[in-house]
């Protein structure tokens, strides 16, 4: 549902089955934003973000989760980087726009 929503909004997506897949075979295209769950196979979303930022510093992340467990995040984690489930498509699109520095009404280009 998330992939369909983002495709319909005009975003170009790179999908992966788990974080190691992305770290071992990074995309050739520049990545404007990483959308990831907090709990995933192989490693957590915050662990993935730390490893990703070693090679791609400054890439914004938006984490999604069914609950907020502060212990899963590094010190200084900003809750604006977290979208709690369940959420509506317009909430997802608005939060992505915010993380990309756009107004929520703006669509992907």
């Amino acid at each position: 549902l998330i992939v369909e929503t983002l495709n319909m909004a005009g975003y170009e997506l790179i999908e992966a089955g788990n974080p190691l897949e992305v770290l071992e075979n990074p995309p050739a295209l520049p990545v404007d934003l990483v959308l990831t769950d907090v709990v995933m196979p192989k490693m957590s979303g915050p662990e993935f973000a730390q490893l990703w930022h070693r090679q791609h510093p400054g890439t914004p992340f938006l984490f999604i989760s069914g609950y907020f467990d502060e212990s899963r995040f590094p010190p200084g984690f900003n809750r604006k980087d977290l979208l709690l489930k369940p959420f509506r498509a317009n909430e997802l699109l608005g939060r992505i726009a915010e993380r990309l520095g756009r107004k929520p009404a703006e669509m992907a280009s």
Side-chain angles (χ1 to χ4, degrees):
L1 189 57
I2 290 173
V3 169
E4 184 178 322
T5 299
L6 296 177
N7 280 328
M8 288 176 50
Y11 288 101
E12 185 176 340
L13 306 176
I14 300 167
E15 297 177 65
N18 66 67
L20 290 178
E21 210 176 283
V22 176
L23 293 170
E24 291 170 359
N25 299 302
L29 301 172
V31 174
D32 296 324
L33 173 87
V34 177
L35 175 66
T36 185
D37 208 313
V38 172
V39 178
M40 300 182 293
K42 312 279 185 197
M43 73 177 63
S44 74
E47 290 170 326
F48 170 54
Q50 288 179 326
L51 293 172
W52 176 266
H53 281 138
R54 289 182 188 166
Q55 297 297 318
H56 310 277
T59 305
F61 270 69
L62 179 59
F63 299 96
I64 57 176
S65 183
Y67 60 94
F68 179 66
D69 179 358
E70 200 166 333
S71 68
R72 292 188 178 271
F73 294 93
F77 174 75
N78 191 332
R79 292 216 34 191
K80 74 175 181 145
D81 298 337
L82 177 68
L83 179 60
L84 291 174
K85 299 174 193 173
F87 51 82
R88 296 179 185 269
N90 63 335
E91 292 173 287
L92 173 65
L93 294 173
R95 294 297 294 285
I96 288 173
E98 288 172 9
R99 297 298 296 135
L100 292 172
R102 300 178 181 150
K103 294 178 183 172
E106 291 180 57
M107 293 301 229
S109 52

